[in-house]
Amino acid sequence: MYQLYNGYFLSNYQCEICSENCMDCYNKILCLTCNKNYFLSDGKCFSNSEVITNCKKLVPSQSLCALCDIGFYRDEYGQCKNCIENCNECNTEKTCLSCFTNYFLLANNTQCISYDLLVNCEVKSQSGCLKCLTGFYQQNQFCVTYNLTTFNCSTCGTTGICTSCVEYYILLDSKCYSKSSIENCVEVTNSKCTKCAFWHTPNYSNTSCHTKVVWWVILIVVIFVIIIITLIVFIVLFVSVQINRHYHIKKVQEKTCIFDVRKSNIQFTKTSISDVFVNKNQIKFEGENDEETIPVDKESRELLCVGNFGKNTIKVQFSSKDNTEKYTIRTEPLVISLKKNKAVEFEIFIRPNCSCKIKDKITLFSVNFKSGITKETQINLVAITQISTKLDNEELNEDKKLGEGGFGIVYKGTYKGNEVAIKKLKEMVGNSLLSFFEKEVTMLDKFRSEYIVHFYGAVFIPNKVCMVTEFAPFGSLQDLTNHKPSSDVCIKLRIKMMIDAANA
């Protein structure tokens, strides 16, 4: 058995010397125990002077460092080791706690970066950039441009989230979208859709457009539709009226006799209108079979030819007095246009309202289409009616008032030289009273006898309504029996009364 001295180790049955300052070793490389004033580190022996080089404070009576210099850290063997580059303080070889001035520590504590690498940074610190320049935002301690993450972004928050977009772009979910990509959006202000297309409105966040009913437009449309329908109805009615009018004019023209005066044997006479000629200056109405009288309440017809002897087309028509009470008159056609050397045959219809003599005038109007001048001339109108129970009020003459009742007043008067009793209805009579009056007139007209009071007729002109009968100067038979004593009425007169009553 071999005995080894301090500072040696056995190798191939030989004693080999350990490394320098090593008291006990396993081999040449691995020292197990160092000499005094030396300490073991990684299988090697180091003197205290080497430890003191990077150590601020040693462990008393030991070859160990209690506190290392700046830029070094104390390992598990009490030795001071270099920190990572530009690191001011560290606790392991790869973990830095703080960096030198003008350097900042990455968030993972593995590297110290120079401030020079913090571009686009306004406020720098050992934690990185605290505030970026406009147009940049903080990301992982550095400043990053907005466009790197959000296209068309104008401004972002400190976390890089876009807060506003460039012009004509809308901010939605921290991203910028063009106006054209937002359906129905037509106007953008401050990164929001502020105006949408018709029938749409921005939503509560101004990021999209949704449908909205525009009531005033609906109201306008409804009014417009009503106007259109009304206009269509009006046009249809107008066209219908024009068609009917045209059809009526055509029918009238078919019935109207228009002829060429140069080919006619009718003798025309001049009127006060230079271009207008007529075949007679007086219209005299006659009854059937050449009778001189015409019927009452029935139309009678006469013809009158009117010719245009001028150079221009004219329009002719007749007009009568508006306040005529005794008769009504009309013409066919109502109005007609006559070209040069043309004539028309007018039908003149008259309807007497009472028995009377008519001597009046009707007016013939002529309008020159070229000059627009209107002229007029008078045509005499003559007619004698048949005798009827419809009397002419102008033939009645009132003498004196005989009495008055609840519905009328009785006057003594004359009618065509005969003494008559005129029973006039009071003014403002009702329809029922007027109807009763008409029934009484009809009844009296049926009773015609020489033994009863003669009924001449009645006047039916408004406000002049009255009944005309024979005047009985001695009163009625009832008055005689009520006011005369029987001794004053002889037997012969009594017999006559009974015979006349029986004959009536």
PDB file of all heavy atoms in Angstrom, residues 82-83 224 244 426 495:
ATOM      1  N   ASN A  82     -18.222  38.202 -14.284  1.00  0.00           N
ATOM      2  CA  ASN A  82     -18.680  39.315 -15.124  1.00  0.00           C
ATOM      3  C   ASN A  82     -20.183  39.198 -15.450  1.00  0.00           C
ATOM      4  O   ASN A  82     -20.692  38.108 -15.761  1.00  0.00           O
ATOM      5  CB  ASN A  82     -17.900  39.341 -16.438  1.00  0.00           C
ATOM      6  CG  ASN A  82     -16.489  39.873 -16.247  1.00  0.00           C
ATOM      7  OD1 ASN A  82     -16.254  40.748 -15.417  1.00  0.00           O
ATOM      8  ND2 ASN A  82     -15.551  39.342 -17.006  1.00  0.00           N
ATOM      9  N   CYS A  83     -20.864  40.366 -15.361  1.00  0.00           N
ATOM     10  CA  CYS A  83     -22.276  40.423 -15.833  1.00  0.00           C
ATOM     11  C   CYS A  83     -22.285  40.533 -17.351  1.00  0.00           C
ATOM     12  O   CYS A  83     -21.240  40.671 -17.989  1.00  0.00           O
ATOM     13  CB  CYS A  83     -22.978  41.630 -15.225  1.00  0.00           C
ATOM     14  SG  CYS A  83     -23.154  41.571 -13.431  1.00  0.00           S
ATOM     15  N   PHE A 224     -98.253  63.243 -53.489  1.00  0.00           N
ATOM     16  CA  PHE A 224     -97.945  63.244 -54.917  1.00  0.00           C
ATOM     17  C   PHE A 224     -98.822  62.241 -55.662  1.00  0.00           C
ATOM     18  O   PHE A 224     -99.343  62.541 -56.743  1.00  0.00           O
ATOM     19  CB  PHE A 224     -96.465  62.904 -55.114  1.00  0.00           C
ATOM     20  CG  PHE A 224     -96.028  62.855 -56.551  1.00  0.00           C
ATOM     21  CD1 PHE A 224     -95.848  64.016 -57.282  1.00  0.00           C
ATOM     22  CD2 PHE A 224     -95.815  61.635 -57.179  1.00  0.00           C
ATOM     23  CE1 PHE A 224     -95.454  63.967 -58.607  1.00  0.00           C
ATOM     24  CE2 PHE A 224     -95.426  61.572 -58.501  1.00  0.00           C
ATOM     25  CZ  PHE A 224     -95.245  62.746 -59.217  1.00  0.00           C
ATOM     26  N   ASN A 244    -117.108  64.071 -75.483  1.00  0.00           N
ATOM     27  CA  ASN A 244    -118.563  64.245 -75.546  1.00  0.00           C
ATOM     28  C   ASN A 244    -118.925  65.543 -76.262  1.00  0.00           C
ATOM     29  O   ASN A 244    -119.884  65.588 -77.046  1.00  0.00           O
ATOM     30  CB  ASN A 244    -119.159  64.245 -74.139  1.00  0.00           C
ATOM     31  CG  ASN A 244    -119.100  62.876 -73.491  1.00  0.00           C
ATOM     32  OD1 ASN A 244    -119.071  61.861 -74.193  1.00  0.00           O
ATOM     33  ND2 ASN A 244    -119.072  62.823 -72.172  1.00  0.00           N
ATOM     34  N   LYS A 426    -150.372  85.495 -50.517  1.00  0.00           N
ATOM     35  CA  LYS A 426    -149.448  86.356 -49.793  1.00  0.00           C
ATOM     36  C   LYS A 426    -148.004  85.953 -50.105  1.00  0.00           C
ATOM     37  O   LYS A 426    -147.718  84.828 -50.492  1.00  0.00           O
ATOM     38  CB  LYS A 426    -149.698  86.261 -48.290  1.00  0.00           C
ATOM     39  CG  LYS A 426    -151.014  86.882 -47.865  1.00  0.00           C
ATOM     40  CD  LYS A 426    -151.176  86.826 -46.356  1.00  0.00           C
ATOM     41  CE  LYS A 426    -152.463  87.519 -45.918  1.00  0.00           C
ATOM     42  NZ  LYS A 426    -152.644  87.460 -44.450  1.00  0.00           N
ATOM     43  N   ILE A 495    -187.269  79.209 -57.039  1.00  0.00           N
ATOM     44  CA  ILE A 495    -187.372  78.138 -58.050  1.00  0.00           C
ATOM     45  C   ILE A 495    -186.219  78.262 -59.043  1.00  0.00           C
ATOM     46  O   ILE A 495    -185.601  77.276 -59.449  1.00  0.00           O
ATOM     47  CB  ILE A 495    -188.743  78.214 -58.747  1.00  0.00           C
ATOM     48  CG1 ILE A 495    -189.845  77.862 -57.735  1.00  0.00           C
ATOM     49  CG2 ILE A 495    -188.789  77.272 -59.942  1.00  0.00           C
ATOM     50  CD1 ILE A 495    -191.254  78.079 -58.275  1.00  0.00           C
TER      51      ILE A 495
END
